[in-house]
Amino acid sequence: MATLAERLNSWFADAATPDAVGRLREPSTSEVAQAISQDPSHDVTISRSYLTALRNGSQTNPTVSVLSAIVKYFQSRDMSLPVSVSALINEEPPGRPAKSQDGWATALADRQVQSIAMRAGRLTPELREQLLSIMDVLDASKKASPSADAGKSSGDEPESG
């Protein structure tokens, strides 16, 4: 089960937008804290250090008003992940069993997986098909060479004596 910090970090990754040279850039913790604090629709102010503590897991029990303000910020972004207080605190929506999502949640908690998925989502269907073909080749080469990896690793270990 993903933690509040992991879910919040996946929202930051999902909110990434291309910079001037086309690289995906997450909003900074400071930018998000400032935007939340300056939003006139609520009275929540949040510091960069507190938001950082939520992201790294050293703070784990924010108030409902803080959660709502964070959700409001991410709802204003172009997001592919579900954005709600219940999604942030990991309440399971009605009719959806938690077990079916465990494998996906574990894989999507990895920042590299999130980055690959976000970039692939912005490709044309033709380019996504090419990317899948490349990944198939990489998977096949990985499966074909486990014995070569095993032989290489045993030769790399220092000898004691």
Side-chain angles (χ1 to χ4, degrees), residues 78-106:
D78 184 23
M79 302 284 287
S80 62
L81 294 173
V83 178
S84 67
V85 172
S86 63
L88 189 55
I89 61 174
N90 204 28
E91 287 182 356
E92 204 55 43
R96 290 178 71 187
K99 275 193 168 187
S100 68
Q101 296 179 355
D102 284 348
W104 286 102
T106 302

Side-chain angles (χ1 to χ4, degrees), residues 118-159:
M118 292 304 301
R119 291 175 70 184
R122 292 184 173 101
L123 297 174
T124 64
E126 294 80 20
L127 288 175
R128 281 196 298 263
E129 197 62 42
Q130 288 180 5
L131 179 60
L132 286 171
S133 297
I134 291 167
M135 293 173 80
D136 289 342
V137 169
L138 292 172
D139 282 342
S141 67
K142 185 177 177 182
K143 289 177 186 173
S145 64
S147 59
D149 290 342
K152 186 172 91 176
S153 65
S154 64
D156 291 342
E157 293 182 25
E159 294 184 41

Side-chain angles (χ1 to χ4, degrees), residues 26-99:
E26 292 182 7
S28 73
T29 303
S30 182
E31 290 169 343
V32 174
Q34 185 176 11
I36 290 171
S37 297
Q38 292 177 348
D39 186 342
S41 69
H42 57 73
D43 60 354
V44 172
T45 58
I46 187 168
S47 68
R48 177 200 51 79
S49 59
Y50 182 66
L51 189 54
T52 297
L54 288 172
R55 291 189 72 184
N56 69 28
S58 61
Q59 290 287 334
T60 58
N61 195 18
T63 64
V64 172
S65 59
V66 166
L67 291 173
S68 297
I70 292 170
V71 165
K72 188 171 186 334
Y73 170 82
F74 283 104
Q75 284 176 335
S76 72
R77 310 282 296 202
D78 184 23
M79 302 284 287
S80 62
L81 294 173
V83 178
S84 67
V85 172
S86 63
L88 189 55
I89 61 174
N90 204 28
E91 287 182 356
E92 204 55 43
R96 290 178 71 187
K99 275 193 168 187

Side-chain angles (χ1 to χ4, degrees), residues 102-122:
D102 284 348
W104 286 102
T106 302
L108 289 174
D110 183 280
R111 291 186 88 107
Q112 288 180 322
V113 171
Q114 293 169 10
S115 178
I116 291 167
M118 292 304 301
R119 291 175 70 184
R122 292 184 173 101

